[in-house]
């Protein structure tokens, strides 16, 4: 079956006509059977449904559609039976379940979870503004032809106004995240305030979109080096990785190598939790670049991290003709000058360093790849330098908590994005406690760790008072060996302290946030953070990630002064405690967007507009603006999100309670259906529903029909379809993107199609059941295209 052909099922129809015996077509699952049945019906093939092979044998039907997980079909010549599998039917494009699962990466799952709503949460309605979600309710619509029950989202606006939104229209609702939920600016129904806020935001969005596109268009036009890869050498290098790759890690590595070989400049963000193997992705990318004669620069925020990366790289490249150097405070001035000279002369293959690498006057011989570790730790000027680099070379960014700005850009698809969310085997999540600071808890936490032969980080982020804390700890813990590390120490001393801690010469390290990035000490499995309320969310997550790097249970104690806690700090601490599971960096960054408001996402100037309409709607608008500018069109100020189509089929469209009983699950499914933008995505949802809950009851089928019509109506500029038993009304937006001559021809050639006012058509035919109405509307849409 070739979907691009005029009649996609033609080859299969030819087979059915030519074959003398009986044919059984087999789908993977009940859900797939429903999808294929609908698809074949569209092209005039009407198979009789059966459960499987035994039912087929008992029947005498010529053509049946059943269920069996069979990879390849076969013909039984003696019995005159042919079995054809779904895989063979879709030979032009494989539709195996594994392929479908691979297409939906876990990122999608993570983003989807964010649509979980609790009662009282603020939400944004595209047309009416910000309200509070007050639950899912059922209303009986037993007035004449609309008979039956409908399910609605109840939204409460300022002044106690209520709005009931049918579940088939959840695509107009998104979660509000632009500030603290309790201070969300609720709107009043029936006023102009919301339209004004949207207009202001749209103006801003247009400028931002143009700016972003300009930056990325410059990169897209530039050609990058197309890296060549010797599979034999690459496999030998990969074998040096002492662990089995997790599925996410393998996918990220594959994506990076694909980017390097594409001939377009790479700009990929690898978001993986602390200790989830991002370094391996960087090593593989560096290998591909270095073996193809290009230089690699690895940029890290701290000297300690540079040192650790240098050791890691040196070990992995030991057997290869690759020269590596480190540029940081731990190297003497003479060594640094020599490294810079070698780099300019092309004698160096890989250089690892701090921001010294991007200072003015640093010259590369032929730079091919820049790897940036923890980009959010660099300052504004350094980021500007990086931005300039981006347009010329391949850039790979590694981060454990992507800061909201990069996260937002990645979600908008402006940067490529890989998430490593599966933990290495035998890794346990870190147990996190928030507690009032006190001697008892400090002593208990440290001694518990020391008794099992481990080491402890004690974090105190004020260099001025760190000596007082040292004295206090020495009297509280006479059995511990304590040393101090902070950024104002002499480099050599600092390096010595860190190396001694790594070699277990002492067991408690009293330090500032200098340990925040990257040093990997498997025996340190307890961290105590003094005044944890003063740290940002990304920082708390990073610091907590210093422990738990092996298979031992790790503990993080966040000590606070309860009376000095601000509301935001309390929220941050709640978030970090809630995100105890492994791989939560991505969620944390999302959470951060909500807590901090979205001010930093696209620079300070936009934060006002973004808070007024919510981050989610703002990014949707930005996406739409970027898309229209990409197509060379001016963004539509009146309909910033394109056409929002309302479909009313005058009969219940919902997932009935006895089909899917859990109200929370229903809400998530409604939101996911509303997020479907193509018929294929809707087919996948249809299949999932049937596989999880059984065959669709009529109201659920109607709900899917509403979404299918919504997807088909959007490109035609149709804003509303109202289909009753008597007639079908179709409302267009002003100046819809269709040929007016087609509409005139339709009206002239079909007696039942009439104009019903400006931008409105009416189809005057009596339709008894919903299926007939849906078919009539789809046929009408086809004639318009």
């Amino acid at each position: 079956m070739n979907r691009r052909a005029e009649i996609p099922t033609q080859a299969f129809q030819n087979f059915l006509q030519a074959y003398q015996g009986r044919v059984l077509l087999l789908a993977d699952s009940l859900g797939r059977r429903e999808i294929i049945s609908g698809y074949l019906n569209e092209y005039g093939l009407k198979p009789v449904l059966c459960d499987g092979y035994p039912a087929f044998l008992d029947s005498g039907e010529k053509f049946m559609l059943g269920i069996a997980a069979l990879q390849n079909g076969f013909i039984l010549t003696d019995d005159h039976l042919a079995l054809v599998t779904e895989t063979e039917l879709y030979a032009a494009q494989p539709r195996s379940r594994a392929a479908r699962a691979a297409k939906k990466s876990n990122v999608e799952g993570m983003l989807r979870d964010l649509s979980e709503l609790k009662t009282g949460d603020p939400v944004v309605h595209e047309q009416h503004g910000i309200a509070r979600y007050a639950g899912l309710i059922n209303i009986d619509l037993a007035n004449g032809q609309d008979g039956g029950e409908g399910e609605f989202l109840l939204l409460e606006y300022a002044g106690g106004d209520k709005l009931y939104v049918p579940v088939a229209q959840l695509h107009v609702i998104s979660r509000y995240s632009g500030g603290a939920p309790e201070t969300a600016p609720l709107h009043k129904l029936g006023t102009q305030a919301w339209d004004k806020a949207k207009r202001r935001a749209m103006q801003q969005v247009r400028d931002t979109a143009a700016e972003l596109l300009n930056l990325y268009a410059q990169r897209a036009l530039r050609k990058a080096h197309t890296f060549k890869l010797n599979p034999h050498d690459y496999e030998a290098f990969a074998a040096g990785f002492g662990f089995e790759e997790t599925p996410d890690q393998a996918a990220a590595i594959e994506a990076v190598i694909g980017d390097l070989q594409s001939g377009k400049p790479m700009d990929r963000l690898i978001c993986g939790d602390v200790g989830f193997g991002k370094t391996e992705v960087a090593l593989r990318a560096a290998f591909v670049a270095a073996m193809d004669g290009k230089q690699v620069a690895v940029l890290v925020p701290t000297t300690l991290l540079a040192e650790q990366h240098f050791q890691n790289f040196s070990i992995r490249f030991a057997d290869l003709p690759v020269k590596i150097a480190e540029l940081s405070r731990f190297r003497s001035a003479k060594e640094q000058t020599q490294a810079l000279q070698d780099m300019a002369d092309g004698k160096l293959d890989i250089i690892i360093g701090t921001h010294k690498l991007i200072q003015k006057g640093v010259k590369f011989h032929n730079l091919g790849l820049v790897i940036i570790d923890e980009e959010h730790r660099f300052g504004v000027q350094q980021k500007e330098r990086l931005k300039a680099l981006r347009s010329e070379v391949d850039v790979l960014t590694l981060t454990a908590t992507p800061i909201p700005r990069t996260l937002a850009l990645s979600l908008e698809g402006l940067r490529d994005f890989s998430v490593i969310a599966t933990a290495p085997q035998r890794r346990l999540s870190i147990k996190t406690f928030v507690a009032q600071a006190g001697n008892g808890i400090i002593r208990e936490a440290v001694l518990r760790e020391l008794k099992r032969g481990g080491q402890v980080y004690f974090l105190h982020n004020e260099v001025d008072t760190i000596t007082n804390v040292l004295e206090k700890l020495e009297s509280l813990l006479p059995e511990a060996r304590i040393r101090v590390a902070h950024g104002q120490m002499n480099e050599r001393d600092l390096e010595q302290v860190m190396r001694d801690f790594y070699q277990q010469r002492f067991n408690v390290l009293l330090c500032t946030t200098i340990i925040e990035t990257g040093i990997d000490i498997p025996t340190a499995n307890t961290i105590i953070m003094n005044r944890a309320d003063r740290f940002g969310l990304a920082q708390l997550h990073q610091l907590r990630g210093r422990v738990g790097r092996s298979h031992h249970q790790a503990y993080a104690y966040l000590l606070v002064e309860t009376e000095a806690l601000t509301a935001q700090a309390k929220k941050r601490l709640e978030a970090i405690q809630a995100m105890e599971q492994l791989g939560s960096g991505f969620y944390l960054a999302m959470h951060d967007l909500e807590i901090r408001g979205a001010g930093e996402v696209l620079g300070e100037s936009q934060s006002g507009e973004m808070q007024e309409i919510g981050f989610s709607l703002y990014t949707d608008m930005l996406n739409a603006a970027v898309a229209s500018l990409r197509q060379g069109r001016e963004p539509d100020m009146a309909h910033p999100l394109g056409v929002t189509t309302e479909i009313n089929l005058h009969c219940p469209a919902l997932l009935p309670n006895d089909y899917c009983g859990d109200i929370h699950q229903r809400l998530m499914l409604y939101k996911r259906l509303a997020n479907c933008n193509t018929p294929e995505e809707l087919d996948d949802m249809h299949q999932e529903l049937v596989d999880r809950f059984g065959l669709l009851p009529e109201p659920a089928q109607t709900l899917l029909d509403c979404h299918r019509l919504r997807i088909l109506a959007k490109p035609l500029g149709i804003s509303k379809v109202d289909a009753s038993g008597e007639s079908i009304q179709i409302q267009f937006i002003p100046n819809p993107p269709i040929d007016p001559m087609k509409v005139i021809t339709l009206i002239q050639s079909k007696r039942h199609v009439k104009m019903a006012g400006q931008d409105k058509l009416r189809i005057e035919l009596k339709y008894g059941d919903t299926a007939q109405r849906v078919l009539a509307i789809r046929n009408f849409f086809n004639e318009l295209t």
Side-chain angles (χ1 to χ4, degrees):
M1 188 148 77
N2 179 2
R3 288 189 180 222
R4 290 182 185 83
E6 183 122 356
I7 302 174
T9 54
Q10 190 65 60
F12 186 54
Q13 281 173 326
N14 295 347
F15 169 73
L16 286 176
Q17 281 159 6
Y19 186 65
Q20 298 302 310
R22 295 170 59 219
V23 177
L24 173 63
L25 176 60
L26 292 167
D28 282 354
S29 66
L30 186 61
R32 289 297 302 155
R33 188 186 77 175
E34 292 300 296
I35 303 284
I36 293 171
S37 167
Y39 197 66
L40 293 177
N41 281 340
E42 258 182 66
Y43 294 97
L45 288 173
K46 300 220 173 352
V48 178
L49 302 185
C50 67
D51 287 338
Y53 190 58
F56 171 64
L57 290 179
D58 294 344
S59 162
E61 294 288 345
K62 165 103 166 82
F63 174 33
M64 298 185 85
L65 175 58
I67 305 162
L70 203 63
Q71 187 62 36
N72 294 311
F74 49 85
I75 290 179
L76 298 169
T77 36
D78 297 347
D79 300 324
H80 300 295
L81 300 178
L83 273 69
V84 182
T85 64
E86 175 183 350
T87 318
E88 292 165 324
L89 185 67
Y90 287 99
Q93 67 267 45
R95 289 279 303 187
S96 75
R97 183 168 297 187
R100 280 197 303 279
K103 192 180 72 184
K104 286 203 199 76
S105 72
N106 42 22
V107 184
E108 221 174 305
M110 289 182 175
L111 298 186
R112 227 175 251 145
D113 292 343
L114 297 170
S115 62
E116 289 192 18
L117 277 180
K118 296 189 298 295
T119 308
D121 279 357
V123 294
V124 183
H125 187 297
E126 264 174 46
Q127 275 104 37
H128 302 291
I130 300 167
R132 288 199 188 285
Y133 165 66
L136 268 182
I137 56 164
N138 286 49
I139 300 177
D140 195 5
L141 303 167
N143 57 338
Q145 62 187 359
D146 278 23
E149 197 170 43
E151 194 162 19
F152 295 82
L153 240 76
L154 172 57
L155 304 185
E156 288 180 349
Y157 282 84
D161 297 346
K162 286 187 169 63
L163 182 69
Y164 296 94
V165 183
V167 289
Q169 284 170 34
L170 273 204
H171 49 280
V172 297
I173 289 187
S174 56
R175 231 176 110 160
Y176 172 81
S177 52
E182 52 279 5
T183 59
L186 299 189
H187 288 91
K188 214 171 154 37
L189 284 179
T191 62
Q192 291 297 304
W194 174 243
D195 289 335
K196 283 183 187 150
K198 264 202 316 195
R199 253 197 308 281
R200 275 196 301 276
M202 192 56 205
Q203 231 98 48
Q204 194 103 53
V205 157
R206 197 208 159 285
D207 300 344
T208 309
E211 197 181 313
L212 286 172
L213 269 178
N214 188 21
L215 176 71
Y216 284 91
Q218 284 171 0
R219 285 189 57 247
L221 290 174
R222 289 200 174 89
K223 294 276 181 280
H225 178 71
T226 306
F227 289 91
K228 292 175 189 58
L229 178 67
N230 177 330
H232 179 73
D233 291 350
Y234 173 74
E235 271 156 35
F237 180 77
F241 181 48
F243 307 91
E244 196 179 329
E245 295 157 9
T246 62
D248 298 351
Q249 200 180 10
I253 290 170
E254 206 175 305
V256 167
I257 290 175
D259 288 349
L260 290 172
Q261 293 177 319
S262 71
K264 287 254 183 290
M266 164 167 83
D267 189 3
R268 183 171 285 276
L269 177 69
I270 305 277
C271 165
D273 223 331
V274 187
F276 273 29
K278 299 185 295 291
T279 310
E280 183 60 24
V281 182
L283 280 161
R284 303 274 177 102
F287 171 82
V288 173
M291 296 314 275
D292 201 16
K294 286 284 189 182
Q295 288 179 316
V296 180
V298 182
L299 197 63
V300 293
T302 64
T303 313
L304 290 166
L305 193 52
E307 172 77 359
Q308 189 166 346
H309 272 322
F310 177 66
Q311 285 167 358
N312 280 340
F313 273 70
S314 301
I315 292 164
R316 283 298 293 282
F317 284 95
D319 305 338
L320 293 162
V322 170
K323 197 165 176 223
I324 305 175
E326 180 192 352
L327 195 65
S328 74
R329 295 187 319 194
F330 287 165
R331 294 281 172 254
S332 65
K334 188 180 168 191
E335 286 174 311
Q336 291 191 34
T337 315
Q338 185 59 50
L340 288 170
Q341 190 53 51
D342 287 353
M343 195 165 64
D345 296 345
K347 292 177 189 166
L348 261 189
D349 299 297
I350 298 175
I351 185 148
I352 297 165
T354 52
H355 55 85
K356 285 188 164 66
L357 265 183
I358 45 174
Q359 283 170 352
K360 284 192 171 62
V362 173
K363 289 192 174 57
F364 292 93
H365 180 63
N366 62 342
L367 182 64
L369 171 68
V370 176
I371 297 169
I372 304 167
D373 201 353
E374 297 302 341
E375 184 177 14
H376 66 275
R377 302 288 312 284
F378 292 101
V380 177
Q381 273 127 353
Q382 291 147 344
K383 282 192 178 155
E384 286 307 310
R385 289 277 299 129
L386 291 175
K387 213 184 241 177
L389 269 180
R390 273 216 164 87
S391 52
E392 294 155 29
V393 292
D394 287 306
V395 179
L396 178 65
T397 310
L398 313 175
T399 176
T401 29
I403 26 170
R405 183 188 167 120
T406 48
L407 182 75
L409 292 190
S410 314
L411 296 187
E412 277 144 28
L414 287 169
R415 283 173 77 174
D416 298 313
F417 188 47
S418 299
V419 171
I420 302 182
T422 30
Q425 287 173 323
R426 296 182 65 205
R427 182 71 59 87
L428 299 163
S429 57
I430 302 163
K431 287 214 168 11
T432 307
F433 307 98
V434 177
Q436 170 71 27
N439 290 348
I441 191 162
I442 294 174
R443 184 168 166 78
E444 186 194 334
V446 173
L447 289 182
R448 177 187 290 168
E449 187 58 57
L450 299 190
K451 275 178 185 157
R452 62 174 186 177
Q455 292 167 285
V456 179
Y457 291 108
F458 189 98
L459 196 82
H460 177 77
N461 208 24
E462 282 176 4
V463 178
D464 304 344
T465 56
I466 206 160
T467 326
N468 309 351
V469 178
L470 176 63
E471 287 165 11
K472 183 179 144 187
L473 287 179
E474 283 175 335
S475 64
L476 184 63
L477 298 158
E479 50 276 82
R481 300 189 302 282
I482 308 170
R483 300 271 294 278
V484 177
H486 58 75
Q488 290 176 19
M489 289 165 66
N490 174 313
E491 283 96 85
R492 300 283 166 197
D493 297 345
L494 178 60
E495 183 182 6
Q496 198 52 53
V497 170
M498 293 315 297
R499 284 189 173 161
D500 288 351
F501 191 54
Y502 184 68
Q503 285 152 1
Q504 294 179 295
R505 295 204 173 114
F506 62 96
N507 49 21
V508 176
L509 178 65
L510 169 60
C511 55
T512 59
T513 49
I514 184 143
I515 60 149
E516 185 180 340
T517 32
I519 28 174
D520 201 341
I521 299 178
T523 46
N525 282 307
T526 293
I527 183 165
I528 300 169
M529 302 184 213
N530 201 14
R531 291 308 304 269
D533 50 314
R534 292 182 177 172
F535 296 108
L537 196 52
Q539 227 178 357
L540 284 169
H541 182 64
Q542 280 288 38
L543 290 164
R544 181 174 67 174
R546 292 299 107 222
V547 296
R549 313 288 297 229
S550 66
H551 53 271
H552 296 293
Q553 178 64 62
Y555 299 92
Y557 295 87
L558 314 183
L559 305 183
V560 297
E561 301 291 343
T562 326
E563 55 279 4
L565 268 187
T566 65
Q568 278 213 337
K570 202 169 171 185
K571 268 229 170 56
R572 282 199 296 273
L573 294 169
E574 277 168 15
I576 191 107
Q577 246 186 316
M579 303 294 176
E580 226 176 59
Q581 79 274 37
L582 294 160
S584 54
F586 185 86
Y587 291 101
L588 279 173
M590 274 303 204
H591 212 93
D592 212 10
L593 275 180
E594 304 192 349
I595 294 174
R596 269 201 294 187
E600 283 181 35
V601 175
L602 294 153
E604 282 309 312
S605 60
Q606 280 110 313
S607 61
E609 275 68 24
M610 204 178 275
Q611 268 169 340
E612 260 189 303
I613 67 166
F615 174 72
S616 185
L617 186 64
Y618 190 93
T619 35
D620 285 352
M621 281 182 165
L622 188 56
N623 276 338
V626 166
S628 42
L629 284 171
R630 267 196 180 136
Q631 292 162 2
R633 288 184 292 117
E634 190 62 22
D636 182 351
M637 292 290 181
H639 301 95
L641 292 166
V643 187
T644 309
T645 312
E646 187 186 325
I647 308 279
N648 186 0
L649 295 175
H650 289 270
C651 52
L654 70 156
L655 299 173
N657 213 343
D658 52 6
Y659 183 66
C660 170
D662 180 338
I663 192 160
H664 199 83
Q665 193 120 47
R666 273 209 309 277
L667 181 64
M668 284 220 23
L669 289 166
Y670 287 143
K671 189 64 188 143
R672 283 178 56 196
L673 282 165
N675 289 345
C676 290
N677 290 318
T678 64
E680 288 74 27
E681 285 173 15
L682 204 55
D683 282 348
D684 286 344
M685 278 298 297
H686 181 173
Q687 179 192 336
E688 185 184 325
L689 286 172
V690 176
D691 287 344
R692 280 173 68 181
F693 305 107
L695 291 172
L696 297 180
E698 204 171 318
Q701 183 59 56
T702 308
L703 178 67
L704 262 86
D705 286 337
C706 285
H707 284 297
R708 211 171 285 283
L709 293 175
R710 165 181 68 79
I711 291 167
L712 295 173
K714 187 168 181 163
L716 300 173
I718 293 168
S719 60
K720 187 172 181 180
V721 174
D722 191 317
S724 66
E726 302 299 313
S727 67
I728 299 170
Q729 302 249 18
I730 293 175
Q731 172 82 51
F732 291 87
I733 58 167
N735 308 315
I738 52 172
D739 181 359
M741 281 314 294
K742 279 194 174 164
V743 181
I744 293 166
T745 314
L746 261 176
I747 295 170
Q748 287 170 346
S749 63
K750 298 199 184 310
R751 286 212 315 274
H752 56 270
V753 179
K754 296 192 165 51
M755 286 298 288
Q758 194 177 3
D759 300 321
K760 199 185 268 185
L761 288 179
R762 187 167 61 241
I763 304 169
E764 292 178 342
L765 283 176
K766 284 194 175 3
Y767 296 104
D769 67 353
T770 316
Q772 286 178 322
R773 277 178 239 172
V774 171
L775 193 61
I777 298 167
R778 288 183 70 165
N779 289 339
F780 178 72
F781 287 175
N782 286 338
E783 286 175 2
L784 280 180
T785 51

